[in-house]
Amino acid sequence: MSVYCIGDVHACLKELRELLNVMEFSPQDDELIFTGDIIGRGPEPLDTIHFIQDLGDRAHMVLGNHDLNLLAVVYGYHEPKKKDKLDSILRAPDLKEITNWFRKQPLLYINQEYSVCTVHAGITPQWNITTAVACAREMEQVIQDDLIFPQFLQRMYDDRPSLWSEDLKEFDRWRFITNVFTRIRLCYTDKSLNLSNKNSPEEAAGEGLVPWYTLLTPGALDGDKKYRLVFGHWAALTGKCNYPGIKSLDTGCVWGNKLTAWCCDTDIMYSVPSRQPAKFA
């Protein structure tokens, strides 16, 4: 059996099928872990959801910002944008089932056999892996709470607070946790978040910003064992992250670059070229 982590699909189903063929993926024997943003901006959102759902327990995913955006739209707390291409999902006869399925997905997924921890965007350098797991589980309970979750969605779109504190309460606390797992890219050297800059590390350096992972405390990924951390989200990295124990897998498929996977047990990377028009936004 092999375990593969796959970067942000963004509804590029044809590329996903091609990638699985290149990997020689076996749905009977192998396991897939998606880094989130399985939808958003790409051409086949509904079919992509159904394809991943049909893989059953052979596929796992973490929630990304575009996945949460869909939920905010469904609940009426965000206006759908034409560029996100959500119409086929919103018209789907199984929209309720799709919504419930997304709400059951985690913000952090761990494969214990290979000591691999997957998140969409990253973790704040104020945390270690133990705190990250605890915060993910706390927020997942909020997402699955029928009463609290709609209230959270109403308050989700805000960049504040920018620093973690155990004293944070309720919506401020939950918003920070969600922003970290689904939006983090760059931080100031005091470890506070900058959630507006989407540039590469080289381009952002002039603003005093550094990638979140460069500020991690030594041993931050050591819990009951030493974990490898996998993330997506940051297309401008194009998968280039040379930090020990961390893999970046968003290689901008929806922007015309490529779709990438990493095999946890062999450490082999696989990629297929995008079929989408070359662009970046």
Side-chain angles (χ1 to χ4, degrees), residues 100-119:
N100 290 335
W101 179 75
F102 271 110
R103 287 180 61 192
K104 292 176 183 176
Q105 304 310 313
L107 288 166
L108 178 153
Y109 179 81
I110 289 180
N111 179 287
Q112 291 288 359
E113 182 179 358
Y114 292 105
S115 304
V116 170
C117 174
T118 302
V119 295

Side-chain angles (χ1 to χ4, degrees), residues 186-231:
L186 294 154
C187 295
Y188 296 99
T189 53
D190 67 354
K191 301 184 180 181
S192 60
L193 312 183
N194 178 305
L195 296 171
S196 60
N197 194 315
K198 301 179 181 181
N199 291 328
S200 68
E202 295 76 17
E203 293 169 319
E207 298 182 38
L209 296 168
V210 295
W212 59 267
Y213 47 82
T214 64
L215 295 174
L216 288 174
T217 303
L221 300 182
D222 299 348
D224 54 339
K225 57 182 75 174
K226 188 176 183 66
Y227 289 93
R228 292 175 289 178
L229 186 64
V230 177
F231 73 100

Side-chain angles (χ1 to χ4, degrees), residues 59-70:
H60 309 276
M61 66 169 281
V62 294
L63 288 171
N65 54 298
H66 280 271
D67 308 316
L68 284 173
N69 174 66
L70 170 66

